[in-house]
Amino acid sequence: MDKIDEFFDDRNRAWCIHCSGVLANMVTTEDHVPTQSFLRKPRPHHLPKVTTCFDCNNGFSKDEQYVGAFLSCVVSGTIDPDKQFNASAASALRKSPALRSMIDQSKTERLTETGEAQIVWMPDRDRVNRVVVKNARGHSFFELGEPMMNDPDIVWTYPIGLLTPEQRAEFEGENEVGGLSVFPEVGSKMMTRIMTGQDLDGSWVIVQDGIYRYEVNFDVGVRVRTVIFDYLATEVFWN
Ligand SMILES: [Zn+2]
């Protein structure tokens, strides 16, 4: 990815975007958005980063490990560490029999309408949602300088391949007409992206092709969509 400088002031930078704590009073850390372990090595340069408190960042790590490993298992079709699509997932699964067995237990067989057996994986939704919201807060803050500290109004995740063609077109933003109805603040990274096209494909920021992309839309409220591993579509919306 390209580095984007920004020029807006620091008025929103005083708080942790996750717990609203005052950063000046806490141990802080630079947190990558998206979750770094989701990405393929070599990871892109200049990944988006936001400053958060250490406790929040640390508090998400187990959830992030689970979600990365779970999605890698689903995409790879197995919990076998040697057959994983994602290297961090492979090493987490290798190190932790508990994680392997947790994900293995989420795999069940069901019959399709035509009577064929089909494997389905049931995620721990709370953990998936926590990671999706965490990344959405990071994307919003990085792109717009907007800390979204309230609970979101909508958190939605769905396998992108199971969306109907109409749902898919809507999700990808193909039906949105006429460009932006409101413009980002001058100096925000989003404004720079729109002017230069940096890392953009349509309205989507491509972090790593086929691995992670996101879109931040603020026409009405703030809406952050992501696609993880070309498999999971996510949406977080604050009204
Ligand atoms: Zn915090």
Side-chain angles (χ1 to χ4, degrees), residues 135-236:
N135 281 327
R137 284 202 165 103
H139 294 318
S140 164
F141 192 56
F142 184 81
E143 295 296 332
L144 302 173
E146 286 294 334
M148 305 305 293
M149 292 189 279
N150 296 334
D151 286 337
D153 297 280
I154 297 170
V155 182
W156 171 90
T157 60
Y158 204 74
I160 195 163
L162 299 183
L163 296 174
T164 65
E166 294 75 25
Q167 289 169 329
R168 177 70 184 260
E170 199 282 323
F171 181 78
E172 299 287 358
E174 289 164 16
N175 300 336
E176 280 163 23
V177 283
L180 298 166
S181 59
V182 285
F183 288 92
E185 187 170 11
V186 172
S188 67
K189 296 200 181 69
M190 196 75 219
M191 191 68 196
T192 305
R193 276 196 207 288
I194 290 167
M195 287 161 61
T196 62
Q198 262 172 255
D199 295 318
L200 280 182
D201 179 4
S203 53
W204 289 80
V205 179
I206 310 298
V207 176
Q208 203 170 43
D209 205 20
I211 305 290
Y212 195 97
R213 59 189 168 109
Y214 66 89
E215 183 205 49
V216 180
N217 178 295
F218 54 101
D219 278 359
V220 181
V222 171
R223 185 191 74 200
V224 180
R225 289 174 170 171
T226 74
V227 180
I228 309 169
F229 297 170
D230 228 357
Y231 172 79
L232 191 69
T234 82
E235 178 173 311
V236 179

Side-chain angles (χ1 to χ4, degrees), residues 98-143:
L99 180 66
R100 266 200 321 270
S101 108
M102 188 197 312
I103 296 175
D104 198 32
Q105 282 164 25
S106 67
K107 194 170 65 170
T108 55
E109 209 175 59
R110 71 168 183 202
L111 294 180
T112 63
E113 282 170 22
T114 53
E116 289 158 70
Q118 181 189 40
I119 301 286
V120 290
W121 305 71
M122 307 295 285
D124 181 331
R125 289 230 160 252
D126 290 342
R127 299 186 105 171
V128 173
N129 287 359
R130 278 199 293 272
V131 171
V132 166
V133 172
K134 180 213 177 209
N135 281 327
R137 284 202 165 103
H139 294 318
S140 164
F141 192 56
F142 184 81
E143 295 296 332

Side-chain angles (χ1 to χ4, degrees), residues 6-37:
E6 63 183 357
F7 309 100
F8 57 41
D9 63 50
D10 285 341
R11 67 192 178 281
N12 287 332
R13 312 215 160 253
W15 307 281
C16 172
I17 56 172
H18 301 298
C19 68
S20 318
V22 177
L23 289 175
N25 300 338
M26 296 188 292
V27 180
T28 62
T29 179
E30 294 292 299
D31 187 25
H32 291 91
V33 256
T35 307
Q36 231 186 339
S37 60

